Amino acid sequence: MFRKSCILLPTDFSPYALHAMKYALAMAKTYEGRVHFLHVIDEALVSGGHAHGLWLTKGDADALVESMKEHAESRLALLTQTAEQEGVKGASFTVVGKPHDEILNHVRDHGSNLVVLATHGRSGFDHMVFGSVAEKVVRQSPVPVLCIKHPEHEFVSDEDLSLNIQRILFPTDFSPFAEKALPFAVSLCREFQAKLVLFHANELSVALPEFMPDAALTIGTTMEATARDALDRMKNSIEGVEVEIASVTGVPHREICRLVEKLPLDLIVMPTHGRSGIGHILFGSVAEKVVRLARCPVFTIRPEWEGPEPRAD
C-alpha cells in the first residue's frame, strides 16, 4: 500500500518522538520507503525578540535560532545514521515556523505519502511541540497519519522492526464519507491477514436518559438493532477478510477507547471527519479525541485520498 513511499517523521527529540521513530522505520523497511526527519523550531519562541521569558535584541535572537538549528541538525544526523543502519534511506530537515504548518508544508513540498507522528511530547527546549499540533495535523493532512502514543499496545517488533498487525478496528457512522474510507482498512487487513472489527456507537441525546428514561431505552434498543443490521450488510460486502461486528450505545470516542481496552486491537483506522445518518457529527473532533486517548496506534485518513504516488529518490 505504501510501497516506495516517503514517510515523514516530525520530531522534537523527546522519548515520545523517538518511540514513534520505531514505527516510521518499520513502515519504511516493510514498504521499501525512505524517511524524512523534520524538526521545527517554533517561531513563537523567538518572535519579537522574546525567548524563554527574556527580551532579546534581534542579533541575539538570530544567534539563538542559529544555535538551535545547529543543535537540531546534529541530533537529526544521528537519527539519519540510525535509519541507515537499519537499511532505510533518510534525510533531515530543520525549519523555523509554526510546527503544524511546517509539517503540512513538508508533506506538500516533498511528496510525503505518510506522516508518523507522536501525539505529545516536549522538546529539549521545554516547549510543547505535539499535543494540539498532532490534532491539527490529523485534521488537515492530505495524506494518512499514523499517530503513536507511548506507552500503548505495540505492533512493531523491537528485534527486527517487523510489523505484526492481527486485528484492526474500523469505527463507522454509516455515512458515505466513512464508507469511502473502509477500503483502506480492508486493504490493510488483507495485506497483514488481520481481522477487521466494524464498530458503531449509537449516541443518544444527553437529555433523553435523564428526562425520558423509558423513551431512551426504546430508542437505544431500536438504534442498536438498526446499527447491527447495517454492520451485517457491511460485513457481508467484504471478501477475503475475517470480520467481527460490535455495536453499543454511548459517547463515540469513549466507546471506541473502551473497546480498545477490552479487545486485543493493534490499530484503529478512522476517517478524519463525517456525519451520521441522523445529522450529528460522529467524526471530526471524535477522531482527534481518539488519537489523544486510545491506547493503541491510530491511522487517520481522508476518504478522498487515492493512495501514494511513488517518487524517485
Side-chain angles (χ1 to χ4, degrees), residues 7 66 70 73 84 86 124 133 141 166 177 194 198 200-201 292 301 304 309:
I7 299 169
E66 287 305 312
E70 290 179 9
E73 287 167 0
E84 291 175 350
E86 292 291 342
V133 172
S141 174
Q166 299 184 23
F177 190 89
L198 300 175
H200 177 74
R292 186 166 66 248
I301 179 174
E304 63 267 27
E309 297 180 4

Side-chain angles (χ1 to χ4, degrees), residues 65-290:
V65 170
E66 287 305 312
S67 176
M68 294 170 74
K69 282 184 177 179
E70 290 179 9
H71 178 77
E73 287 167 0
S74 66
R75 300 189 70 173
L76 288 170
L78 293 176
L79 298 185
T80 303
Q81 182 180 359
T82 299
E84 291 175 350
Q85 290 171 350
E86 292 291 342
V88 174
K89 184 176 181 180
S92 62
F93 302 83
T94 303
V95 297
V96 179
K98 295 180 180 179
H100 74 275
D101 284 343
E102 295 305 329
I103 291 169
L104 296 172
N105 287 340
H106 190 97
V107 169
R108 289 187 289 266
D109 296 344
H110 295 270
S112 302
N113 310 118
L114 169 66
V115 180
V116 178
L117 188 63
T119 57
H120 63 286
R122 291 185 183 273
S123 75
F125 304 103
D126 198 36
H127 69 279
M128 186 67 74
V129 173
F130 296 109
S132 63
V133 172
E135 293 172 14
K136 291 175 182 176
V137 172
V138 164
R139 190 182 313 130
Q140 300 175 31
S141 174
V143 300
V145 180
L146 177 59
C147 296
I148 307 298
K149 181 166 63 271
H150 181 67
E152 64 179 1
H153 180 80
E154 306 283 349
F155 66 76
V156 172
S157 168
D158 287 325
E159 295 181 359
D160 60 1
L161 296 182
S162 61
L163 303 179
N164 182 22
I165 303 175
Q166 299 184 23
R167 183 175 283 167
I168 294 174
L169 174 65
F170 183 79
T172 178
D173 64 350
F174 308 121
S175 66
F177 190 89
E179 185 178 346
K180 291 179 181 178
L182 178 60
F184 179 81
V186 172
S187 178
L188 280 175
C189 286
R190 287 177 179 151
E191 186 169 353
F192 293 97
Q193 298 182 324
K195 295 179 181 178
L196 178 64
V197 181
L198 300 175
F199 177 75
H200 177 74
N202 304 290
E203 186 172 14
L204 291 176
S205 167
V206 174
L208 273 177
E210 183 174 356
F211 297 103
M212 302 177 65
D214 292 338
L217 179 62
T218 300
I219 293 173
T221 301
T222 301
M223 290 174 67
E224 282 211 30
T226 301
R228 285 195 166 271
D229 287 343
L231 289 171
D232 275 328
R233 289 194 294 273
M234 290 179 64
K235 176 180 178 179
N236 294 333
S237 70
I238 297 171
E239 298 180 353
V241 173
E242 184 177 346
V243 181
E244 305 171 13
I245 64 171
S247 175
V248 299
T249 298
V251 179
H253 78 271
R254 293 177 184 168
E255 297 303 330
I256 292 168
C257 294
R258 187 171 290 126
L259 191 63
V260 171
E261 300 292 338
K262 289 175 57 178
L263 295 179
L265 291 163
D266 299 302
L267 179 66
I268 300 173
V269 174
M270 290 189 71
T272 54
H273 67 278
R275 292 184 179 272
S276 75
I278 60 173
H280 68 279
I281 297 175
L282 175 58
F283 292 112
S285 63
V286 172
E288 293 157 25
K289 290 175 183 176
V290 170

Side-chain angles (χ1 to χ4, degrees), residues 9-24:
L9 179 74
T11 180
D12 64 348
F13 310 117
S14 67
Y16 307 102
L18 292 177
H19 180 71
M21 176 179 170
K22 178 174 73 171
Y23 283 81

Side-chain angles (χ1 to χ4, degrees), residues 1-5 7 25-34 114 163 165 187-188 191-192 299:
M1 179 178 293
F2 293 101
R3 190 72 55 190
K4 303 289 186 182
S5 288
I7 299 169
L25 294 182
M27 295 290 288
K29 289 187 71 171
T30 298
Y31 294 107
E32 300 177 2
R34 62 196 188 280
L114 169 66
L163 303 179
I165 303 175
S187 178
L188 280 175
E191 186 169 353
F192 293 97
F299 237 134

